[in-house]
């Protein structure tokens, strides 16, 4: 099943300072290989994209670095959307969804800074998620915890949906260590990965219902997109009014 990859490339990677910095954030660095984390993410979605080149959303100041990383892979032109300022994940996804809405594809939304070694498991999970998204569901990916880590949010799995996934019972913010130990021991909780699959229209309708201010600001901004060489620029004033979420 074809999906439209959307790669979020806006973070500064401040927690990995001084290796990662605002001038060269971690997604543009390589860890244990020749590829940067961004390039590895693009390579990871190649099998799903088919004719759909990934949409990459990044801060305006990283535009040439990101373009250089894409061109060095010898890939066809990509859509690189430029945020004039950071507004966090929900608005970034909304801009990609509005931009793709005419064809209303299933979106595969990924951070650009994951180090993911088990690509076979990832591929299998994406195929299952795309089936669920085709049914109109919003899908998030959980990672089976290896230790009771306190640096991640957690997802509690509920009732199974065929053999494709689970209903989410609960999202939990980063817990204290004692609580993390309980989650880890129960086997019912997963680390929240920040990876998603859903149809563009389903995401936007949910956003309109639950975060109408973000929806409204991004709808206005989506009507003011401007092409600039290989880039798509988001108009500053419209996007600046959007809440950060």
């Amino acid at each position: 099943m074809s999906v439209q990859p959307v790669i979020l490339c806006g973070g500064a990677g401040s927690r990995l300072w001084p290796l990662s910095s605002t001038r060269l954030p971690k997604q543009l660095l390589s860890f244990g290989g020749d590829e940067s984390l961004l390039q590895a993410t693009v390579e990871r979605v190649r099998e799903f994209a088919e004719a759909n080149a990934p949409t990459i959303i990044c801060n305006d100041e990283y535009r040439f670095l990101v373009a250089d990383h894409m061109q060095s892979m010898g890939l066809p032109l990509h859509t690189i959307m430029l945020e004039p300022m950071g507004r966090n994940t929900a608005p970034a996804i909304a801009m990609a969804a509005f931009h793709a809405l005419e064809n209303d594809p299933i979106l595969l939304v990924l951070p650009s800074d994951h180090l993911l070694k088990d690509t076979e498991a990832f591929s299998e999970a994406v195929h299952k998620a795309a089936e669920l998204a085709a049914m109109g569901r919003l899908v998030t990916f959980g990672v089976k915890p290896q230790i009771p880590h306190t640096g991640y949010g957690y997802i509690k799995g509920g009732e199974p949906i065929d053999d494709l996934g689970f209903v989410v019972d609960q999202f939990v913010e980063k817990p204290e260590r004692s609580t993390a130990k309980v989650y880890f021991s129960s086997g019912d909780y997963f680390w929240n990965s920040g990876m998603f699959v859903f149809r563009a229209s389903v995401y936007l309708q949910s956003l309109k219902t639950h975060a109408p201010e973000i929806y409204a600001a991004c709808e206005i901004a989506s009507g003011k997109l401007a092409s600039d060489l290989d880039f798509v620029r988001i108009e500053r004033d419209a996007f600046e009014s959007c809440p950060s979420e």
Side-chain angles (χ1 to χ4, degrees), residues 73-87:
M73 297 179 73
L75 296 175
L77 288 179
H78 292 65
T79 298
I80 302 176
M81 297 189 76
L82 304 179
E83 294 179 302
M85 73 287 296
R87 282 295 179 261

Side-chain angles (χ1 to χ4, degrees), residues 177-196:
R177 182 152 185 83
S178 59
T179 304
K181 287 181 177 179
V182 173
Y183 293 164
F184 179 71
S185 299
S186 73
D188 296 329
Y189 290 81
F190 302 86
W191 287 336
N192 192 347
S193 72
M195 300 188 291
F196 310 99

Side-chain angles (χ1 to χ4, degrees), residues 48-196:
F48 309 106
E50 295 181 5
N52 299 324
T55 296
I56 299 174
I57 305 177
C58 72
N59 193 284
D60 181 75
E61 66 181 292
Y62 301 141
R63 65 191 185 279
F64 294 122
L65 286 170
V66 169
D68 182 62
H69 278 238
M70 295 300 95
Q71 290 170 356
S72 68
M73 297 179 73
L75 296 175
L77 288 179
H78 292 65
T79 298
I80 302 176
M81 297 189 76
L82 304 179
E83 294 179 302
M85 73 287 296
R87 282 295 179 261
N88 227 309
T89 306
I93 299 173
M95 293 307 302
F98 273 118
H99 192 244
L101 191 56
E102 182 178 355
N103 296 321
D104 197 18
I106 293 174
L107 303 179
L108 167 61
V109 181
L110 303 173
S112 58
D113 58 0
H114 281 173
L115 184 64
L116 200 158
K117 295 181 179 180
D118 192 345
T119 55
E120 186 175 333
F122 171 78
S123 176
E124 182 180 349
V126 171
H127 283 293
K128 290 182 177 181
E131 288 188 55
L132 289 166
M135 302 174 193
R137 292 185 178 270
L138 299 156
V139 186
T140 186
F141 290 79
V143 176
K144 187 176 180 180
Q146 298 173 346
I147 57 172
H149 206 294
T150 59
Y152 301 116
Y154 283 74
I155 304 168
K156 184 181 181 184
E159 290 296 315
I161 305 171
D162 299 326
D163 63 343
L164 300 175
F166 300 86
V167 174
V168 172
D169 269 1
Q170 186 181 17
F171 289 99
V172 186
E173 290 301 328
K174 297 172 184 177
E176 296 180 352
R177 182 152 185 83
S178 59
T179 304
K181 287 181 177 179
V182 173
Y183 293 164
F184 179 71
S185 299
S186 73
D188 296 329
Y189 290 81
F190 302 86
W191 287 336
N192 192 347
S193 72
M195 300 188 291
F196 310 99

Side-chain angles (χ1 to χ4, degrees), residues 136-138 200-212 215:
R137 292 185 178 270
L138 299 156
S201 60
V202 174
Y203 174 75
L204 290 174
Q205 184 56 53
S206 296
L207 195 69
K208 187 176 184 179
T209 299
H210 299 289
Y215 178 90

